[in-house]
Amino acid sequence: AALSDTLTRELGAPDVQVIKPASGTPVWRVQVDVQRFDLVAGGPSLLDATWRVRPVNLVAPALVCRTRVDVPAGGERDTAALVQAQQRGTALLARTIASAIRSQGQSAEAGGPEVQVLGCSRNDAKTEG
């Protein structure tokens, strides 16, 4: 939910699962598979995910990427700092995914210095239903 919320705000777009889009509005399907979401006291928050953006009603490529987000958590036992690091990691992943949608599935840009886009591949096949 946090990822979806941040993504819709980043793009200035409604969540089409909640609000039906107007006819002709570009719609993108986003799928995220989180491989790792770790948080260790005194260490960074680590988010490692493979994600895919695919246009639903456009002729544009799907893009599949792997992204790693490392956010320093600060403080050995500061629970609030740990939670904030996780929230920042989620927001940075959303910003990275939003860049792929803005580029119409052509590429993805790291959402910040804590983000590594480890690789992307395009699927130029026509859109799926």
Side-chain angles (χ1 to χ4, degrees):
L3 183 64
S4 178
D5 222 27
T6 305
L7 191 54
T8 56
R9 272 184 287 142
E10 187 71 30
L11 293 168
D15 183 341
V16 296
Q17 292 191 21
V18 177
I19 299 170
K20 183 176 177 164
S23 179
T25 301
V27 175
W28 287 76
R29 176 162 292 138
V30 177
Q31 297 170 293
V32 179
D33 181 19
V34 176
Q35 275 84 44
R36 194 169 170 192
F37 195 33
D38 290 342
L39 185 60
V40 178
S45 168
L46 172 65
L47 173 56
D48 188 348
T50 300
W51 50 271
R52 179 180 189 226
V53 294
R54 178 179 66 80
V56 173
N57 60 351
L58 301 170
V59 177
L63 187 67
V64 178
C65 298
R66 179 147 182 229
T67 301
R68 179 183 167 120
V69 184
D70 288 288
V71 178
E76 286 287 319
R77 305 236 184 260
D78 185 358
T79 303
L82 297 173
V83 171
Q84 287 175 343
Q86 282 186 322
Q87 291 170 336
R88 175 135 173 86
T90 302
L92 288 166
L93 178 60
R95 188 177 299 155
T96 303
I97 294 170
S99 77
I101 293 171
R102 282 191 199 101
S103 77
Q104 299 290 301
Q106 297 296 314
S107 63
E109 294 181 17
E114 304 93 336
V115 179
Q116 296 174 9
V117 178
L118 300 172
C120 293
S121 63
R122 287 182 26 200
N123 178 350
D124 291 319
K126 300 248 187 229
T127 60
E128 305 163 22

